[in-house]
């Protein structure tokens, strides 16, 4: 990708973020009271979900599959939602089923159809950077990528498929690496109704700040996490000079 394309992509990203913040602010201003009443009625929401039967879990599992393959939805949001609606145990189960299925599909798609399908689904800049990093690593490196925050685990799912590593044991490691983060998200969702308003403001502000930091300093944060992985593995996961 040349410099002009990268600049154009970044400009589009900035305007999308601005539009999302503006739209979210307007929505909160218009529907704050009914939304608060709906979210506060946890029993009513659970009864409504229960009436959906198997379609409720199926929808959330599908959201997590899509989150891995095309990343339109923040995975943490789905995990918190599952914890709120189903509790820690069932929420974690439904999130993990979707994530494992999505990860397996990403690996198999990349293994079966190769680099062309990966280049259609992922930004070229991410492929170039992480292909160089992941191409020299073994199973435990990938496990830590899924365990640590601020690393593109969904991108890594496709790159595992492009690697010569055996997929079944890698899927087991990836599942174990994802599990702690999913448990935390489900726990937060399950305890959502117990938190006071000021805690939600703090959590929302912190999540917004982290999202901005990741967007603004993504490469630096990834390098920091990779340095930690390097120390744990006694290897150098950083990319060579481009």
């Amino acid at each position: 990708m040349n410099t002009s394309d990268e600049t154009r992509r970044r400009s589009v990203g900035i305007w999308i973020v601005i539009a999302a913040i503006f739209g979210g602010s307007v929505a909160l201003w218009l529907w704050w009271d009914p939304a608060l009443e709906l979210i506060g009625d946890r029993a009513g929401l659970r009864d409504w979900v229960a009436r959906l039967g198997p379609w409720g879990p199926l929808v959330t599992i599908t959201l997590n599959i899509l989150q891995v393959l095309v990343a339109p939805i923040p995975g943490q949001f789905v995990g918190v939602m599952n914890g709120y609606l189903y509790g820690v145990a069932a929420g974690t189960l439904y999130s993990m089923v979707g994530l494992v299925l999505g990860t397996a599909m990403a690996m198999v798609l990349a293994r079966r159809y190769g680099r062309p399908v990966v280049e259609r689904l992922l930004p070229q800049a991410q492929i170039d950077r992480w292909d160089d990093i992941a191409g020299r690593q073994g199973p435990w490196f990938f496990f830590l990528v899924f365990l640590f925050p601020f690393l593109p685990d969904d991108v890594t799912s496709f790159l595992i498929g492009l690697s010569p590593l055996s997929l079944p044991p890698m899927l087991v490691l990836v599942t174990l690496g994802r599990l702690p983060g999913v448990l935390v998200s489900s726990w937060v969702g399950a305890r959502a109704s117990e938190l006071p308003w000021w805690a939600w403001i703090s959590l929302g502000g912190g999540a917004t700040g982290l999202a901005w930091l990741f967007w603004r300093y993504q490469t630096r944060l990834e390098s920091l996490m990779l340095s930690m992985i390097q120390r744990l593995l006694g290897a150098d996961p950083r990319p060579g000079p481009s």
Side-chain angles (χ1 to χ4, degrees):
M1 179 181 297
N2 58 42
T3 304
S4 61
D5 289 339
E6 184 66 28
T7 302
R8 190 178 302 112
R9 180 187 291 272
R10 183 175 293 274
S11 299
V12 170
I14 291 172
W15 281 109
I16 289 175
V17 171
I18 292 172
I21 293 173
F22 177 77
S25 300
V26 171
L28 282 175
W29 182 68
L30 291 174
W31 297 299
W32 172 260
D33 289 335
L36 198 61
E37 181 179 354
L38 176 64
I39 294 172
D41 186 12
R42 186 173 186 174
L45 275 175
R46 285 185 165 180
D47 288 342
W48 179 76
V49 171
R51 288 196 296 270
L52 294 177
W55 290 105
L58 184 61
V59 168
T60 188
I61 288 170
T62 302
L63 286 176
N64 267 316
I65 292 174
L66 293 175
Q67 180 257 318
V68 175
L69 295 178
V70 294
I73 307 157
Q76 291 78 9
F77 170 77
V78 180
V80 170
M81 180 187 69
N82 284 342
Y84 185 79
L85 293 175
Y86 301 107
V88 177
T92 299
L93 174 64
Y94 296 145
S95 292
M96 287 303 299
V97 168
L99 289 172
V100 171
L101 287 175
T103 301
M105 291 170 66
M107 292 179 179
V108 171
L109 281 172
R111 181 65 54 90
R112 175 66 178 83
Y113 297 105
R115 188 168 299 275
V117 72
V118 176
E119 292 177 346
R120 291 178 67 88
L121 293 172
L122 302 177
Q124 188 62 47
Q126 280 190 317
I127 297 174
D128 292 342
R129 171 172 166 77
W130 278 89
D131 201 16
D132 189 40
I133 297 171
R136 303 182 280 114
Q137 305 303 324
W140 291 109
F141 168 80
F142 291 105
F143 166 76
L144 293 174
V145 167
F146 282 87
L147 183 65
F148 279 40
F150 302 122
L151 293 175
D153 45 16
D154 297 331
V155 173
T156 310
S157 299
F158 287 95
L159 297 181
I160 290 173
L162 295 178
S163 77
L165 296 170
S166 176
L167 297 189
M170 288 307 305
L171 187 60
V172 172
L173 284 178
V174 166
T175 300
L176 294 175
R178 285 191 184 274
L179 183 58
V182 173
L183 274 171
V184 170
S185 296
S186 294
W187 183 88
V188 170
R191 299 293 184 271
S193 60
E194 303 171 11
L195 296 176
W197 64 268
W198 55 265
W200 275 111
I201 291 177
S202 301
L203 286 172
T208 302
L210 284 174
W212 182 84
L213 284 172
F214 179 71
W215 174 79
R216 180 66 178 83
Y217 301 105
Q218 179 178 356
T219 302
R220 294 183 185 180
L221 288 171
E222 287 180 2
S223 297
L224 177 62
M225 294 297 104
L226 286 169
S227 296
M228 295 175 65
I229 292 175
Q230 173 191 4
R231 288 194 291 270
L232 287 173
L233 295 177
D236 185 6
R238 294 172 299 178
S242 56

